[in-house]
Amino acid sequence: MKDMDLIQALRRMATETGSLHCLGCGYEHRCGLNGCAIIRQAVERLKALTAQTPNGPLPLEQLREMGKDWVWIDLLAPLYGMVSGYYIKHPRFSDVDKFCCGYPGIVIRRIPYSGYGDTWIAYRRKPEEGKENRA
């Protein structure tokens, strides 16, 4: 689940005051019309963390541990006929040597981790135009 999906789900849950998850939490006296105090606080912290997250290159260790997530791949050299863009990681086919990615329903590419930083770099989201994000 991505951060924005989590934030939206928590917002929907916040208005369900009086339900079972509210019994005895110790913060129920702060809920009122705006919904669950704990969930509102979690939403605010997630929003702050999401806004502060720098968009530098993903560390190789983090890239290897990722689940089925979208990443922006910036190609520094021609690679398998690919272009820079968003690709989804396929953890089922990835291994310690190769990052397996593609578009849903489209051919899968296996990019060697050995070229990370030299021929390709991955980011959480597309680097902003005109800014140099590479390490």
Side-chain angles (χ1 to χ4, degrees), residues 60-77:
L60 192 53
E61 302 78 40
Q62 186 177 358
L63 195 58
R64 282 188 168 124
E65 293 172 4
M66 288 176 77
K68 192 172 186 176
D69 292 316
W70 286 93
V71 293
W72 177 269
I73 294 182
D74 189 11
L75 296 175
L76 308 175

Side-chain angles (χ1 to χ4, degrees), residues 11 14 23 30 66 74 104 110:
R11 275 196 186 129
L23 296 177
R30 295 189 193 140
M66 288 176 77
D74 189 11
R110 292 175 56 102

Side-chain angles (χ1 to χ4, degrees), residues 46-66:
L46 279 171
K47 282 174 41 181
L49 284 173
T50 302
Q52 293 173 5
T53 304
N55 192 33
L58 290 168
L60 192 53
E61 302 78 40
Q62 186 177 358
L63 195 58
R64 282 188 168 124
E65 293 172 4
M66 288 176 77

Side-chain angles (χ1 to χ4, degrees), residues 34-127:
N34 296 320
C36 176
I38 294 172
I39 293 176
R40 286 194 335 256
Q41 184 67 33
V43 167
E44 293 309 311
R45 286 194 187 171
L46 279 171
K47 282 174 41 181
L49 284 173
T50 302
Q52 293 173 5
T53 304
N55 192 33
L58 290 168
L60 192 53
E61 302 78 40
Q62 186 177 358
L63 195 58
R64 282 188 168 124
E65 293 172 4
M66 288 176 77
K68 192 172 186 176
D69 292 316
W70 286 93
V71 293
W72 177 269
I73 294 182
D74 189 11
L75 296 175
L76 308 175
L79 192 63
Y80 308 120
M82 294 173 61
V83 295
S84 293
Y86 281 104
Y87 291 87
I88 191 165
K89 181 181 179 186
H90 296 284
R92 181 175 167 200
F93 302 108
S94 295
D95 56 30
V96 293
D97 296 325
K98 293 190 172 53
F99 180 82
C100 187
C101 66
Y103 300 110
I106 307 241
V107 68
I108 294 173
R109 304 284 188 207
R110 292 175 56 102
I111 308 171
Y113 285 120
S114 60
Y116 193 71
D118 295 324
T119 57
W120 66 287
I121 298 177
Y123 299 88
R124 279 264 176 227
R125 60 189 179 278
K126 182 179 180 180

